[in-house]
Amino acid sequence: MNWMLALPEIVLACCGLGILVFGVLRKQDSALICTMMTLGAFLIAGLLVLTGLPGIGYHGQFVSDSFSGFNKLLLLSGAALTAILSLDWNRQAGIARFEFPVLMLFAVVGMMVMTSASNLMTLYVGLELQSLALYVLAAFARDDLRSSEAGLKYFVLGGLASGLLLYGVSLVYGFSGTMDFHELRTLLAQPGNASPGVIVGVVFVLVGLAFKISAVPFHMWTPDVYEGAPTPVTVFFATAPKVAAMALMLRVMATTFGPLLASWQSLIVIVSIASMLLGAFAAIGQTNIKRLMAYSSIGHMGYALVGLAVGSPEGIRGVLVYMVIYVFMTAGTFGCIMAMRRKGQPVENISDLSGLGSNDPGLAMALAVFMFSLAGIPLMSGFFAKLYIFLAAVQGGLWTLAVVGVLTSVVGAFYYIRIIKIMYFDAPVEAFDRRPPALSFVVAATGLFTAFFFLFPAPVVDAAQLAAGAIFR
Amino acid sequence: MNEAGFPLLSLVTWLPLVGGLVILSIRGDEATVAANARWTALWTSLIVLVLSLVLWVKFDPTEPGFQFVESVSWLPEYQVGYKMGVDGISVLFVLLSTVLTPLCILASWESIQTRVREFMLSFLILETMMVGMFCATDFIVFYMFFEAVLIPMYLIIGVWGGPRRVYAAMKFFLYTLTGSVLMLLALLAMWLYAGTTDIQTLMATQFPPAMQKWLFLAFLASFAVKVPMWPVHTWLPDAHVEAPTAGSVILAGVLLKMGGYGFLRFSIPMLPDASAYFAPFMFTMSVVAVIYTSLVALAQEDMKKLIAYSSVAHMGIVTIGMFTFNEQGIHGALFQMLSHGVVSAALFLVVGVVYDRIHSREIARYGGLSDRMPCYALVFMLFTMASVGLPGTAGFVGEFLVIVGAFQVNFWLALLGGSGMILGAAYMLYLYRRVMFGRITRDDLRHILDLSPREWAVFAPLIVLTLWMGIYPSSFTSFWDASVAAMVKHHQAALETTIKIAGMTH
């Protein structure tokens, strides 16, 4: 048994336990030092992922390949960015407790297990470890009614989704006799083995996973949770768990249930179209920027699912490139949102951005870059994300998806550039408080990535290509 | 290495952006920043102009293919490269962009007083995107520049525009974006079919006729909005009216040409069968545009709106010329685009002169200006005549060639298209009479000042160009003789092959 395969997860979990004990035993305020230690743990885990060897271990329960490596690095960076952003916010909001980074860390362990799952059981264990940590995080501002509501809502609906997923898993196991991804794939490759029971099970698994990436019609929790949860938690929700759930979905659907593509493809197409439409149209009327980002993320998951609907390595590559670009531009956008603070109090209305172009040109320019990128306007990274997705869709002959996709992106562009309009064309209102340096750092780093991705797209695309190829082996 | 011995096109493309970075780094109080930003932008654009004149000197008109070629691998495994080059069709558009930019910066010297630094920065970014678009010989690179033009233009209209600027800016952005995303799908389909996005290779690729029709419609969605063709022209009057003078100049002078250039670069050479199939449709739309928008122009109360509608009519002549597929027609279309680029740009500047003094674009607000502003009256008259198409000015050559080309296709097409010249004379002279002649009735007009030296500096190059193009047109047409001849030949050959294949299968 090659236990070394899971070394990053093991190390990270041990670090988590260590930081927890340290935080409990240390009497004074230890949020800062615990966050720093967590960042260090992420860094170590990232290095271990980079140097890790590929292989299957734990009796086929756990797989480490370039696909899992790619996604682990991505979700670790998403989590690290969130941790940096959370520092100043939590202190100002009075929720700077050491449990915050520790919970994030355990959620990340769960996500890493998810991306490496090669058995329906591992999948479920990873998913639950992640979800439980996230439930607590959503309600982390205990004294805030909205935060508690967000946590409860997420918990109830998330529990339901987990139940559906588990039910699907049991159906698949019952009708096929195995939970191993590889065995399932060989089994289902024979058309005779694809009994209706298995297909119903696949649909339930799909539903459970669609909930996690907040695809329509399983998106109801997203706007409320995004709005209610403390903003650092929202950033976290918008980045790392999406990566993990999408990675899981890609692996399970495209390879394990890949032979059943004809059965589930139309489902993904419908979910994808519905997400793109809802993401585009429902966001128009929003006045709260966090809610707007929630709808925007629903739309973006719709675009990413286009790649999955194609089901080919090109499609998977498209999704992976999309996720990388999505994580960085979303983290950056939320960085800008966190800078919206007057007299120590956070403000969340879109109209509060009025005149930011003259009050704080640097922040306005960064937010403009993110908005143009989210809208998919060229030279920004968001354009490339959509380019690879639509390329795969055209290649796969999914013209409906491609046409709906580009048209909804125009509708989406409307509300993204409306934000730019508010920042640059409207009369200035009171300026925001000084930005903390950590926040400026995250915004600048992600902004540079977003604006200058076009110069060096090859490394990311090549890595995604490699990763996409790995799951089809 | 290319003819210039150094990556000239990249330099011309990206140098404005470097100037933009310099502007960003300026520090000091507001007045210093504004002054330095103006001078930096002017010098940058002048250096770019001088560099681009190398193209004029060193361009070899006998060579129909791309020249000054550059190629850097960018996404090698997908056959996408950063490829630049100019041929006879694009070279003069590059020059048009580099000539108009310094004039625009000069024209907004005093009229832009708020956020000068950002204005100049947007303008330099705009120049990079425009030049890059005309130079790109890779479809993906072309598309990126084509869409990225929207960002600075959106900001220019929205920040420094008139009272309804927000509406106009949003409309401009969403109209053009809708068109271009459909083109993106066509681009992806061509990419997958041909395995490359190199424009030269795509031109040599034979796409199946059924696929061509869809591709043509997708391109049409994008270029028809940009040109703009009737009935998707409604964004243009709004954008023109609300944009600051310099924005209108670039919009009319260069941005509208992107649509025409797109037709000539992509639709006609790459999709010959579909172009022939849709030509009657294109003629109908263009004739409607010419007559309808000319009549609409007659009824305008706003000077800029009138010129905006006249632009739609003139661009209708351009699309007629392109789809005749003969040498005269395409020559005429190219010439008309260039002359319209100079003349309509100049007309917007002419309007800008009085707008800067009186702050109104309403025609009824003026009258009798020729008494107080004789030089201005002369300049205005010259460009009015050029817009009408008086022989000896730039406007005549293009329209004449297009009508000659149209005659070879259909008598009625030539007649109806030609009626645009008569209607054009009607609305332009009517405009001129109302603004310049009559008696001065308002007090502020009695003290209005004639052209300042700065304004002369803006108009002088345009006057020279207008007369030069009218009197000695072959110094311009010689640039694209070989390219157009090759294009027409290629088009006919492609149509013949299709007929042959169709004959064999039946």
Side-chain angles (χ1 to χ4, degrees):
Chain A
M1 193 175 95
N2 191 357
W3 63 271
M4 287 284 285
L5 287 174
L7 194 61
E9 284 83 353
I10 295 170
V11 169
L12 202 55
C14 292
C15 288
L17 294 172
I19 298 168
L20 190 62
V21 171
F22 172 81
V24 170
L25 293 181
R26 195 155 182 262
K27 287 285 173 270
Q28 66 267 51
D29 174 36
S30 51
L32 178 69
I33 188 157
C34 283
T35 309
M36 289 302 166
M37 286 160 77
T38 307
L39 279 173
F42 285 158
L43 194 67
I44 294 168
L47 289 175
L48 287 173
V49 170
L50 269 179
T51 52
L53 294 170
I56 297 181
Y58 301 92
H59 302 287
Q61 298 268 341
F62 191 94
V63 62
S64 168
D65 52 15
S66 51
F67 179 80
S68 70
F70 184 93
N71 282 296
K72 281 176 194 172
L73 285 179
L74 181 57
L75 64 90
L76 280 169
S77 8
L81 288 173
T82 315
I84 301 172
L85 284 174
S86 72
L87 270 176
D88 296 283
W89 175 282
N90 285 358
R91 194 166 29 84
Q92 281 173 311
I95 52 169
R97 291 190 294 271
F98 73 89
E99 291 94 338
F100 190 90
V102 175
L103 281 167
M104 265 179 61
L105 194 148
F106 281 121
V108 168
V109 175
M111 292 174 211
M112 289 171 72
V113 172
M114 280 162 76
T115 57
S116 275
S118 83
N119 184 300
L120 290 171
M121 220 57 220
T122 328
L123 177 162
Y124 188 73
V125 170
L127 192 73
E128 280 307 286
L129 177 56
Q130 176 226 221
S131 298
L132 283 170
L134 291 183
Y135 298 145
V136 184
L137 276 176
F140 198 74
R142 284 179 305 205
D143 305 325
D144 180 12
L145 196 63
R146 288 198 307 168
S147 174
S148 312
E149 183 197 322
L152 189 63
K153 203 172 249 170
Y154 188 45
F155 175 62
V156 171
L157 288 174
L160 182 72
S162 294
L164 289 175
L165 180 91
L166 203 53
Y167 185 54
V169 168
S170 72
L171 279 174
V172 170
Y173 180 58
F175 281 88
S176 65
T178 177
M179 287 207 263
D180 186 84
F181 286 0
H182 193 69
E183 279 177 37
L184 271 170
R185 190 181 176 193
T186 19
L187 204 67
L188 295 174
Q190 272 114 36
N193 290 333
S195 64
V198 174
I199 292 173
V200 172
V202 172
V203 172
F204 276 112
V205 172
L206 189 62
V207 168
L209 293 176
F211 176 89
K212 297 292 171 194
I213 60 163
S214 69
V216 177
F218 312 103
H219 66 282
M220 271 69 160
W221 58 276
T222 320
D224 292 339
V225 172
Y226 269 45
E227 187 188 359
T231 311
V233 180
T234 313
V235 192
F236 194 48
F237 277 176
T239 53
K242 292 256 156 68
V243 175
M246 189 54 92
L248 192 54
M249 201 152 173
L250 291 180
R251 196 191 284 276
V252 174
M253 301 314 291
T255 58
T256 312
F257 299 133
L260 302 178
L261 177 72
S263 309
W264 55 260
Q265 190 179 34
S266 54
L267 282 181
I268 297 279
V269 169
I270 293 168
V271 168
S272 163
I273 289 182
S275 304
M276 290 191 285
L277 286 175
L278 187 103
F281 284 99
I284 292 176
Q286 301 305 321
T287 53
N288 182 297
I289 196 158
K290 281 165 80 181
R291 274 188 99 81
L292 181 119
M293 285 307 289
Y295 285 107
S296 149
S297 83
I298 293 171
H300 281 289
M301 288 304 122
Y303 292 114
L305 283 178
V306 172
L308 175 57
V310 178
S312 64
E314 284 74 25
I316 308 298
R317 179 194 72 198
V319 181
L320 292 175
V321 173
Y322 203 103
M323 293 313 289
V324 173
I325 290 167
Y326 169 81
V327 162
F328 284 97
M329 64 189 178
T330 308
T333 312
F334 275 106
C336 296
I337 292 173
M338 285 181 167
M340 296 167 57
R341 192 180 266 283
R342 286 204 183 98
K343 301 200 181 69
Q345 288 304 311
V347 287
E348 289 173 1
N349 282 328
I350 296 172
S351 55
D352 290 316
L353 287 167
S354 188
L356 188 67
S358 41
N359 283 340
D360 190 346
L363 187 67
M365 190 180 277
L367 190 51
V369 164
F370 293 128
M371 288 298 133
F372 279 127
S373 178
L374 287 166
I377 307 293
L379 292 191
M380 308 301 166
S381 62
F383 166 72
F384 290 90
K386 292 205 167 80
L387 180 72
Y388 286 109
I389 286 290
F390 292 137
L391 181 65
V394 169
Q395 201 166 20
L398 296 175
W399 283 98
T400 328
L401 273 181
V403 172
V404 172
V406 294
L407 291 180
T408 50
S409 78
V410 175
V411 179
F414 169 76
Y415 60 78
Y416 294 124
I417 64 168
R418 195 171 56 117
I419 294 181
I420 298 172
K421 173 225 134 193
I422 290 169
M423 289 194 301
Y424 282 99
F425 307 170
D426 289 0
V429 289
E430 199 184 340
F432 293 135
D433 296 352
R434 262 185 81 79
R435 283 172 265 142
L439 204 149
S440 303
F441 166 74
V442 170
V443 170
T446 53
L448 288 175
F449 176 86
T450 306
F452 294 104
F453 178 79
F454 76 97
L455 288 178
F456 314 102
V460 173
V461 179
D462 289 348
Q465 176 102 355
L466 204 67
I471 54 169
F472 282 98
R473 260 201 297 277
Chain B
M1 207 69 233
N2 61 43
E3 289 83 346
F6 61 98
L8 175 66
L9 292 177
S10 290
L11 202 61
V12 172
T13 303
W14 297 105
L15 197 62
L17 214 57
V18 177
L21 290 180
V22 173
I23 288 182
L24 264 187
S25 63
I26 298 173
R27 289 281 170 271
D29 63 64
E30 204 170 326
T32 338
V33 168
N36 286 336
R38 285 189 188 111
W39 282 109
T40 316
L42 184 64
W43 277 110
T44 313
S45 60
L46 284 175
I47 293 170
V48 170
L49 173 62
V50 170
L51 276 174
S52 68
L53 286 179
V54 176
L55 286 176
W56 175 274
V57 178
K58 289 234 180 156
F59 186 83
D60 175 12
T62 54
E63 159 70 44
F66 287 103
Q67 303 180 32
F68 300 95
V69 175
E70 294 163 29
S71 177
V72 178
S73 105
W74 185 42
L75 286 172
E77 64 271 51
Y78 313 108
Q79 310 296 321
V80 180
Y82 169 77
K83 293 182 192 138
M84 304 290 253
V86 283
D87 67 352
I89 293 171
S90 53
V91 62
L92 290 185
F93 289 114
V94 174
L95 285 166
L96 182 69
S97 317
T98 55
V99 168
L100 286 180
T101 306
L103 297 182
C104 285
I105 289 169
L106 213 52
S108 20
W109 206 261
E110 279 158 15
S111 56
I112 301 293
Q113 290 296 346
T114 52
R115 299 204 210 164
V116 179
R117 182 217 299 254
E118 285 84 356
F119 183 85
M120 296 300 164
L121 179 64
S122 307
F123 236 90
L124 291 177
I125 294 177
L126 186 62
E127 185 177 18
T128 290
M129 299 306 164
M130 292 188 305
V131 174
M133 197 214 64
F134 288 122
C135 291
T137 57
D138 183 280
F139 204 161
I140 297 273
V141 179
F142 167 85
Y143 183 83
M144 292 184 35
F145 283 121
F146 187 83
E147 271 213 8
V149 165
L150 292 182
I151 301 178
M153 202 64 214
Y154 170 72
L155 293 173
I156 287 171
I157 298 176
V159 178
W160 295 275
R164 285 172 70 240
R165 57 181 197 270
V166 173
Y167 169 78
M170 290 294 247
K171 193 169 176 182
F172 162 75
F173 196 99
L174 294 176
Y175 257 69
T176 31
L177 183 64
T178 315
S180 12
V181 291
L182 291 172
M183 176 169 80
L184 177 64
L185 290 184
L187 153 68
L188 295 176
M190 289 169 95
W191 184 0
L192 291 171
Y193 185 87
T196 176
T197 51
D198 180 60
I199 287 177
Q200 264 175 307
T201 321
L202 287 176
M203 282 193 210
T205 311
Q206 291 260 357
F207 293 97
M211 185 184 177
Q212 284 194 19
K213 283 180 191 161
W214 285 108
L215 294 177
F216 187 89
L217 289 175
F219 281 143
L220 181 66
S222 171
F223 299 141
V225 173
K226 265 274 160 39
V227 166
M229 289 176 73
W230 180 85
V232 286
H233 66 280
T234 56
W235 62 270
L236 184 75
D238 283 315
H240 266 316
V241 169
E242 300 307 325
T245 304
S248 297
V249 170
I250 286 294
L251 202 55
V254 184
L255 259 60
L256 302 192
K257 309 303 170 296
M258 290 163 56
Y261 173 74
F263 278 126
L264 276 180
R265 176 64 80 225
F266 299 101
S267 301
I268 294 172
M270 291 178 193
L271 315 168
D273 298 311
S275 300
Y277 178 81
F278 282 107
F281 172 73
M282 298 298 288
F283 290 143
T284 317
M285 302 292 264
S286 310
V287 166
V288 172
V290 169
I291 296 176
Y292 169 78
T293 50
S294 298
L295 291 175
V296 173
L298 264 176
Q300 292 310 311
E301 298 291 320
D302 181 306
M303 288 197 267
K304 268 188 157 181
K305 225 171 188 166
L306 192 148
I307 298 168
Y309 278 109
S310 85
S311 290
V312 182
H314 282 128
M315 293 308 284
I317 304 270
V318 171
T319 40
I320 291 177
M322 284 173 189
F323 283 84
T324 58
F325 308 124
N326 54 44
E327 282 199 35
Q328 286 87 344
I330 296 177
H331 266 287
L334 277 166
F335 204 91
Q336 172 79 349
M337 282 204 275
L338 274 190
S339 77
H340 179 261
V342 173
V343 173
S344 70
L347 281 171
F348 279 112
L349 288 168
V350 163
V351 175
V353 168
V354 283
Y355 183 78
D356 284 347
R357 289 168 174 63
I358 308 291
H359 297 286
S360 168
R361 294 181 307 260
E362 210 185 324
I363 297 172
R365 180 77 181 68
Y366 297 97
L369 288 184
S370 57
D371 284 353
R372 287 291 310 154
M373 308 172 78
C375 296
Y376 178 69
L378 181 73
V379 171
F380 196 168
M381 181 49 101
L382 175 75
F383 291 120
T384 305
M385 287 303 139
S387 172
V388 170
L390 185 81
T393 58
F396 173 72
V397 185
E399 298 202 0
F400 179 74
L401 282 171
V402 168
I403 291 172
V404 170
F407 251 117
Q408 299 174 31
V409 178
N410 184 314
F411 167 74
W412 289 103
L413 177 66
L415 184 75
L416 292 172
S419 68
M421 287 180 88
I422 300 161
L423 288 166
Y427 60 71
M428 285 313 291
L429 291 176
Y430 186 44
L431 169 74
Y432 191 79
R433 185 184 72 75
R434 284 185 288 173
V435 174
M436 302 309 290
F437 296 148
R439 192 167 295 161
I440 293 186
T441 47
R442 290 171 195 270
D443 279 341
D444 51 356
L445 293 184
R446 283 183 219 286
H447 309 291
I448 195 163
L449 294 174
D450 208 348
L451 295 182
S452 69
R454 180 182 59 82
E455 284 162 344
W456 270 116
V458 172
F459 283 118
L462 295 172
I463 293 170
V464 171
L465 274 175
T466 308
L467 292 175
W468 183 5
M469 288 170 86
I471 294 167
Y472 193 56
S474 57
S475 57
F476 296 89
T477 53
S478 64
F479 273 93
W480 60 64
D481 269 334
S483 298
V484 170
M487 191 168 137
V488 170
K489 211 167 122 201
H490 170 78
H491 185 82
Q492 276 157 358
L495 287 186
E496 274 158 24
T497 359
T498 323
I499 294 165
K500 252 184 234 158
I501 293 168
M504 277 194 284
T505 49
H506 283 297

